[in-house]
Amino acid sequence: MLIIYLIVLMTLTITTSIMLISSILSKKTVLDREKMSPFECGFDPKTSARLPFSLRFFLIAVIFLIFDVEITLLLPLANVSPFTNIFSWSFSGLFFILILLLGLYFEWYKGALEWSN
């Protein structure tokens, strides 16, 4: 067990020292305006390098991500059904689905699912 602790300590020491040395050596001291500007074949850029981003698309993506994670939390419920009490299994599953439906209804009520405006 002592050998494992020594190996972990030595690994952490080596990686920390390498990260510190690399951060000290890689500091940029000269900030040149020409080097910091975007480069387009030697000419000044005609338009902004930043494109406009749709906030509604981002909200729909976050809602999808939340519901996707909740579905992955529901999947193990089918695997544990033979090992649990049927009442507690059905109550927890229905309660979780009720929370999902309430969240969906709230998003629908607030208009976050309306794509065209």
Side-chain angles (χ1 to χ4, degrees):
M1 195 67 167
L2 182 63
I3 294 173
I4 294 174
Y5 288 137
L6 288 175
I7 290 172
V8 169
L9 182 66
M10 193 169 20
T11 305
L12 288 175
T13 306
I14 291 171
T15 55
T16 305
S17 63
I18 289 174
M19 287 189 328
L20 285 174
I21 290 171
S22 67
S23 68
I24 290 171
L25 292 178
S26 68
K27 291 287 184 186
K28 305 268 188 206
T29 57
V30 177
L31 294 177
D32 191 11
R33 187 179 85 73
E34 290 297 323
K35 286 184 181 179
M36 298 301 287
S37 66
F39 181 73
E40 288 185 10
C41 301
F43 299 105
D44 288 331
K46 294 181 180 179
T47 60
S48 174
R50 308 234 184 257
L51 298 175
F53 186 73
S54 172
L55 188 61
R56 297 195 64 74
F57 176 75
F58 178 72
L59 288 176
I60 295 290
V62 167
I63 290 170
F64 173 75
L65 184 66
I66 289 171
F67 280 102
D68 192 37
V69 168
E70 289 171 349
I71 293 300
T72 59
L73 291 174
L74 269 176
L75 285 176
L77 202 62
N79 289 339
V80 298
S81 63
F83 307 113
T84 60
N85 183 5
I86 189 69
F87 178 73
S88 65
W89 179 80
S90 61
F91 178 74
S92 62
L94 288 175
F95 184 70
F96 197 76
I97 291 174
L98 179 70
I99 290 173
L100 282 175
L101 289 175
L102 286 175
L104 179 63
Y105 176 72
F106 181 75
E107 293 293 332
W108 191 6
Y109 178 73
K110 289 294 185 179
L113 300 177
E114 298 286 332
W115 186 255
S116 63
N117 252 349

